[in-house]
Amino acid sequence: MNDTATLPGFADPVHDAQRAFRALLDALARPGRIHRLPPPLRAVPGLGPAAAALALTLVDFETPVWLAPSCAPAAGFLRFHCGCPIVTEPEQAAFAFACGFAELPVLERFALGTEEEPERAATLVVEAAALGEGRALRLRGPGIAGECRTHIGGLDDEWLAARAMLHALYPCGLDLFVTCAERVCGLPRTTRIEPPCAPAEA
Amino acid sequence: MYVSVKGGERAIDNAHRWLAEARRGDPAVAELSLEQIAGQLAGSVDRVMAEGSLYDPELAALAIKQARGDLIEAVFLLRAYRSTLPRFGAAEPLDTAQMAIRRRVSATFKDLPGGQILGPTFDYTHRLLDFQLAAGGAVPPPAERAAEPVAPAMPRVADLLGADGLIEPEAADDGRPVGDLTREPFRFPVDRDVRLQALARGDEGFLLALGYSSQRGYGRNHPFVGELRIGEVAVEFVPEELGFAVEIGTLTVTECQMVNQFKGSAERPAQFTRGYGLVFGHGERKAMSMALVDRALRAGELDEAVQAPAQDEEFVLYHCDNVQATGFVEHLKLPHYVDFQSELEMVRALRAAAGRPAEEPEDA
Amino acid sequence: MMQNPHDDPAIARRRRWMGVLAQAPRETLERAWRRFAAPPAFEWLRRPETGLVMTRGRAGGSGRRFNLGELCVTRAAVRLEGGAVGHAYVAGRDGRRAELAALFDALLQQPTLHDELERELIGPLAEAAHAAREDAARKAAATRVEFFTLVRGEDA
């Protein structure tokens, strides 16, 4: 049951986690920019290298994790290295890992934080089919001068619309990391994601 | 006028060098080892662990050595060290009923099951300085051993008394997450779990004074020591990757159950109420003070008038931490040149406005 | 998963030896390790790492849980060549002690070594710990107060 528990984590636990932390911080500060994370020593079934590195860096015993079905094999790895509880209900999760956006449940099921404690919102980590190629998207919001472009594979309009609904709830909302192999891009709750041709909001 | 000042780096380096020399003292005298401090100044080590909120006798001994025996400075060092380590999780609650008893006394029941066990205590000593210790060199005779050991576990007195309803039962754990003041700032009113955490790491002198004040009439609650016990308890932890509890070590702790008179209220019959103290190490003064203050802070819950400092939750919790307290008090010695300059201007202006100009120095 | 893991006899045995190893003096573990003519080959799953475990008490000894203070703990995890995985969570900051405790946890899971290690290592360690506890308990017993009542009054 704990097959993946015995897989090693980072080659250099302290420094790799520090490098990954810095990159993740930058990823949220500059939404849309693609960063590379130091991968764990060996491939982790159920998680891409960047998603696994993110977990090794940010997840611990105080952050319950929800895993989409295709990420489930990573449960043993996460329990061992991060000491985190694995939860079955999205509502209980501080971090949620999925492979593809279609694997995520309705977004409102995740903790969105409260007016008083917006930091209690969940962070989503989604492995995308492509990053830096695939569908072109226009990003606006804090950390972006004017607007910028990024490319994420597998994002459909319906999901983008569902995410856009959350903007009204600010400061509540969901922060998103999109991973693809060893790369990651941060899309915090403040970032507006639009198809490039959509008319800009006034 | 604002003058920016730089410098002092060499002065600081030299001051620290002098401190190191002073800490070492006369090099002709043997240097203290950590084993000596942990073994022979155990009272200081225990206090630093309790208030530093970190159980590690060796580190506490090092902190005491580095702080030249200044215990609050040592507590500060331990707290700073602690902040550099990751936390693996929380242990299972200690089961003090399973304590390997070293000392256990009750002031309320002479004939309690298991008996009154004095243990290694200062009580009944005459407080006369022992000049044989000053001479040193003498190895004391080994402690006496009875043929039969004390029982491996002894029931808690409060649990025995509780059986007939004369003492309030302890509210059972309701499974709510345990509050942690190292993660979340206080939000008043706080729950008893956060209060007990704050008191367990609070300054012994502050809690002693507050407990004493409650005895002298500032929030009187007629306490008796139901039980005071000191000994070793096992720590069990459930690693997430194993899913079952393993014993990871043992701690020495002191537990005090204070039993207090209670007249009763509209909702409750007259019965004894309880205050609780639990601290790292052999620290009975601290555990007793904690129990007194814990009971005093339950005033609101028991419909007693809150009118004394020991009953005032905000007052107690905001001031019981000696690292916070020393930080704020000691920061006053850091440069406040600009603040003071502006106040000086204001005093001058006020005096001028009142028609009494400050006397100017001759050479101004 | 539904069953309480503590009811499983295999887990109960492992809990016991892990508890004994966690309290073992480093030198005893070193000596036991040196007895292997060829030290068993292993791979690190987690090199010794020191951190904190928050210890907890209960209000009144039996009530609501509260955080008492933290304890320095060192953990390690290893995998032997045969695949057995050993874990250690050990109070203190001694990485080597945690490493050896994890190695013996893995070795004790090997049917070929289990009985010998129980006999040569775990048994004697448990006995020594018991003897130390009993010695302290006898010292405590010597300080037990034996009350006697003084006879008072005129017509006694």
Side-chain angles (χ1 to χ4, degrees), chain B residues 30-43 45 57 61 64-65:
Chain B
E31 188 181 346
L32 272 175
S33 71
L34 299 191
E35 290 77 14
Q36 286 172 323
I37 296 172
Q40 297 174 46
L41 296 177
V45 167
I64 290 167
K65 179 173 179 173

Side-chain angles (χ1 to χ4, degrees), chain A residues 2 61-62 79-80 83-85 117 120, chain B residues 87-90 180 183-184 187 240-241:
Chain A
N2 281 342
F61 72 100
E62 285 177 312
R79 276 202 197 92
F80 174 69
C84 58
E117 296 176 309
R120 296 207 180 266
Chain B
R87 195 189 279 177
F88 297 152
D180 186 352
R183 301 292 166 113
E184 307 269 346
R187 273 201 213 160
E240 196 64 38
E241 66 270 24

Side-chain angles (χ1 to χ4, degrees), chain A residues 30-35 101 126-140 144 147-156 160 176-181 183-187 191-197:
Chain A
R30 297 274 177 258
R33 276 195 207 168
I34 293 168
H35 297 262
F101 295 88
V126 181
E127 187 80 8
L131 187 59
E133 50 195 271
R135 181 160 195 205
L137 297 162
R138 196 162 55 120
L139 308 180
R140 293 187 298 126
I144 301 164
E147 59 174 61
C148 73
R149 295 276 176 111
T150 195
H151 295 78
I152 297 171
L155 253 183
D156 60 45
L160 282 178
L176 169 67
F177 285 105
V178 179
T179 56
C180 184
R183 291 166 309 140
V184 64
C185 146
L187 294 169
T191 304
R192 306 217 166 222
I193 311 176
E194 290 148 6
C197 50

Side-chain angles (χ1 to χ4, degrees), chain A residues 83-101:
Chain A
C84 58
I86 307 291
V87 295
T88 50
E89 302 305 319
E91 290 83 352
Q92 304 166 321
F95 285 90
F97 290 83
C99 190
F101 295 88

Side-chain angles (χ1 to χ4, degrees), chain B residues 19 32 65 100 123 178 181 196 243 270 282 307 320 328 332 344:
Chain B
L19 174 70
L32 272 175
K65 179 173 179 173
D123 294 353
V178 182
L181 64 86
L196 288 171
H282 183 151
Q307 48 204 179
C320 69
F328 203 43
L332 290 173
L344 208 54

Side-chain angles (χ1 to χ4, degrees), chain A residues 2-71:
Chain A
N2 281 342
D3 289 338
T4 56
T6 58
L7 286 169
F10 282 132
D12 180 353
V14 173
H15 295 106
D16 284 351
Q18 282 175 349
R19 268 193 293 277
F21 186 78
R22 182 72 238 179
L24 292 167
L25 213 56
D26 289 341
L28 286 183
R30 297 274 177 258
R33 276 195 207 168
I34 293 168
H35 297 262
R36 199 169 277 275
L37 299 185
L41 269 175
R42 284 195 224 147
V44 180
L47 291 179
L54 181 146
L56 290 171
T57 306
L58 298 184
V59 176
D60 71 8
F61 72 100
E62 285 177 312
T63 54
V65 166
W66 178 87
L67 296 172
S70 57
C71 299

